[in-house]
Amino acid sequence: MSFATLWESLLPIGRDGLSGGYRRFSWTPEDAACRAWFTQAAAERDLRVLADNNGNLWAWWDPPGWPGPGAPGGTKAVVTGSHLDSVPDGGAFDGPLGVVSAFAAVDLLRERGCLPVRPLGIAAFSEEEGGRFGVACLGSRLLAGAIDPAAARALADAAGVTLAEAMAAAGHDPDLIGPDDDLLAAVGAYVELHVEQGRALANLDAAIGIGEQIWPHGRWRLDFTGRPDHAGTATLADRRDPMLPFAAAVLAARQAAASHGARATVGKVTAEPGAVNAVSARVSAWLDARAPDERTLETVVGEVLAAAREAAAGHGVELAAGPESVTPAVVFDQGLRERLASSLAEQDIAAPLLPTGAGHDAGVLAARVPTAMLFVRNPTGVSHSPAEHAEPADCAAGVRALATVLEDLACR
Ligand SMILES: [Zn+2]
C-alpha cells in the first residue's frame, strides 16, 4: 500500500535525534524539505501543484476534460489535507497523517477506478501549529482573511526574524499574503483527516471518528515586569520579583480549568535575564485556554488574568496581558457531516461523532467553506509529543474512510 512508502519517506524530515520529536517550523530548511516531499508525492501522481500567496501548498487532481481553474461554470472542488509543520518536539502524526492519507486515498480511488467529476485537491497549510511565529493556523487564517496581512508580516520568531523576512528568505513574496477569495470560492468542501488528540475513540473501541465541533480556544500572553536584583543581597521585602505573580497565574490556570470543566495550560515561559542568581527583570508566559463554550472560556481566562493582576499588584510587578489569537467555537457543517456519516455507514465503517479541544485549519476554513473532519484513533491519546501514535491498521482504516468520503463527494 502506498501509505507506508509515503509515510517512511516523510518520517526522517525534521526529526530531532535526541528527543525523537519533530521540529518542522515554517520557512526553515526542514519546511523546505517537507514542501519538496509534497511536490514529489504530487508529481508521482500527476497532480498539479500550486503554492498560494500565503505559502499553502495545493495538489490538484483535475477531472478529465475539465477546462481549468477559474473556468466559467466550473464545478466546485473537494479538498482534503492538513499540515506538515510541528510544535517543538511534536509527534509524527499531527498534521502529516492527514496529508499522507490524502495522497494514499487518491491512490486508492484510482485503484477502485474512480474518476473525479469535480477537482479534487490536497492542501498542506503553512504554520498550522504557530510553532515559529506564535499564531496557530496562520496559513489558513491568511487565506480566509482571518488575520490582517500587515500584522502577520510583522510577527517575529524567537530570534526576532519576522514572517516577512522568513518568507522572503525562502523565496516567497511576503507582500502578496492575504485573503484569496477566488481560491476559497472554488472550494465546495474541505475534509481534514487528523490523528485524534485524546482517547475518545480508544474508549469507544472505534478506529475512525467524525468531528462534531471544535472547542473555542486561544492564546494569551502575559508579561510580568519587575526589578532585576541580586538573589543574595536583596531582601525579600525589597524585591519586585515577576516570577511570583507568574507562579500564581500558573496555579490559577489549573484551578480555573478544573472548576469549569475546561483546559488551561502554561507551556511556554521565558525569564529575563535568566540568571540563576538574580531576581528576574521580566517573565513572559503564554496561556493556552480551551473550553466547551465561549462563555466558559471567557470565565476561565478572566479568572486567570484577575489572579495574575492581583498577585502582580501584591508584588509591585507590572502586568501587561492580552490575547494573541482567539478562535471561536466551530460546529462543523451539519449537511457535510451527515453525508460523511452516511457514506461511511454504507461501507460499514463505524464512525462516532467527537468534539475536540484542538484547533485545526478545518476550524478556520469553516467560516468560509463547508468543512468536516475525520479522526484516527490514538491509543494513548498523547499528542504534541514524540509519544503520539496511531497503529498502522488504524492508519489504513483512515485512508479507506477518507477515500470513501472523497469518492462520494468528488466522483459522483
Ligand atoms: Zn494538527
Side-chain angles (χ1 to χ4, degrees):
M1 177 168 178
S2 61
F3 180 88
T5 313
L6 272 168
W7 187 252
E8 299 290 325
S9 63
L10 180 60
L11 221 44
I13 301 174
R15 183 163 55 191
D16 183 73
L18 276 178
S19 69
Y22 285 87
R23 295 176 184 178
R24 293 171 176 158
F25 305 134
S26 59
W27 310 114
T28 60
E30 291 75 21
D31 183 57
C34 286
R35 287 165 187 273
W37 173 90
F38 183 96
T39 303
Q40 192 188 331
E44 285 166 0
R45 288 162 180 78
D46 292 320
L47 307 178
R48 189 166 50 83
V49 179
L50 289 172
D52 68 20
N53 289 343
N54 298 305
N56 307 310
L57 290 174
W58 303 75
W60 290 105
W61 181 7
D62 298 324
W66 188 60
T75 169
K76 289 200 174 197
V78 173
V79 176
T80 185
S82 194
H83 60 95
L84 295 173
D85 68 317
S86 76
V87 297
D89 283 328
F93 293 82
D94 179 354
L97 184 63
V99 181
V100 172
S101 298
F103 283 117
V106 164
D107 293 344
L108 191 51
L109 289 176
R110 286 175 171 166
E111 275 170 34
R112 290 179 184 172
C114 304
L115 280 175
V117 295
R118 49 189 64 85
L120 176 54
I122 299 174
F125 291 101
S126 192
E127 181 85 1
E128 191 274 346
E129 299 286 9
R132 181 167 181 192
F133 294 103
V135 175
C137 301
L138 186 55
S140 55
R141 273 181 212 272
L142 281 164
L143 170 66
I147 184 171
D148 174 54
R153 275 190 285 272
L155 292 169
D157 68 9
V161 178
T162 64
L163 175 69
E165 290 163 350
M167 284 185 88
H172 262 263
D173 184 351
D175 290 336
L176 298 179
I177 66 171
D180 190 336
D181 293 337
D182 290 344
L183 178 54
L184 278 181
V187 178
Y190 176 64
V191 179
E192 179 167 355
L193 178 145
H194 205 279
V195 68
E196 198 204 344
Q197 294 167 294
R199 294 201 309 140
L201 287 173
N203 292 339
L204 292 165
D205 200 20
I208 306 296
I210 295 176
E212 183 181 33
Q213 64 145 334
I214 299 179
W215 282 12
H217 58 278
R219 300 172 175 195
W220 287 259
R221 177 175 174 151
L222 292 80
D223 291 306
F224 299 91
T225 305
R227 187 181 59 205
D229 214 331
H230 193 289
T233 57
T235 66
L236 298 183
D238 285 345
R239 293 181 186 194
R240 291 167 49 204
D241 185 351
M243 196 62 80
L244 299 171
F246 156 71
V250 175
L251 296 175
R254 172 72 181 215
Q255 175 71 45
S259 58
H260 297 287
R263 309 270 156 80
T265 307
V266 179
K268 179 177 172 180
V269 57
T270 59
E272 295 167 34
V276 174
N277 56 356
V279 173
S280 295
R282 186 158 101 144
V283 173
S284 298
W286 283 262
L287 169 72
D288 176 302
R290 303 156 194 249
D293 60 80
E294 279 153 41
R295 237 173 113 162
T296 307
L297 182 63
E298 274 172 33
T299 304
V300 167
V301 173
E303 287 182 9
V304 178
L305 295 185
R309 264 186 221 105
E310 192 187 325
H315 290 285
V317 167
E318 277 167 36
L319 171 62
E324 279 194 337
S325 66
V326 183
T327 307
V330 173
V331 178
F332 290 115
D333 185 86
Q334 192 178 351
L336 184 59
R337 205 195 322 148
E338 284 169 0
R339 189 153 167 190
L340 259 61
S342 67
S343 60
L344 293 178
E346 265 176 42
Q347 299 296 317
D348 290 324
I349 300 172
L353 277 181
L354 300 182
T356 175
H360 299 286
D361 294 307
V364 172
L365 295 177
R368 303 289 305 275
V369 171
T371 63
M373 288 194 75
L374 291 173
F375 291 106
V376 172
R377 171 166 51 193
N378 174 343
T380 63
V382 173
S383 184
H384 284 185
S385 143
E388 185 180 85
H389 185 67
E391 292 294 334
D394 288 349
C395 295
V399 172
R400 281 196 301 277
L402 183 60
T404 297
V405 162
L406 295 176
E407 181 178 351
D408 177 39
L409 294 173
C411 306
R412 286 180 190 165

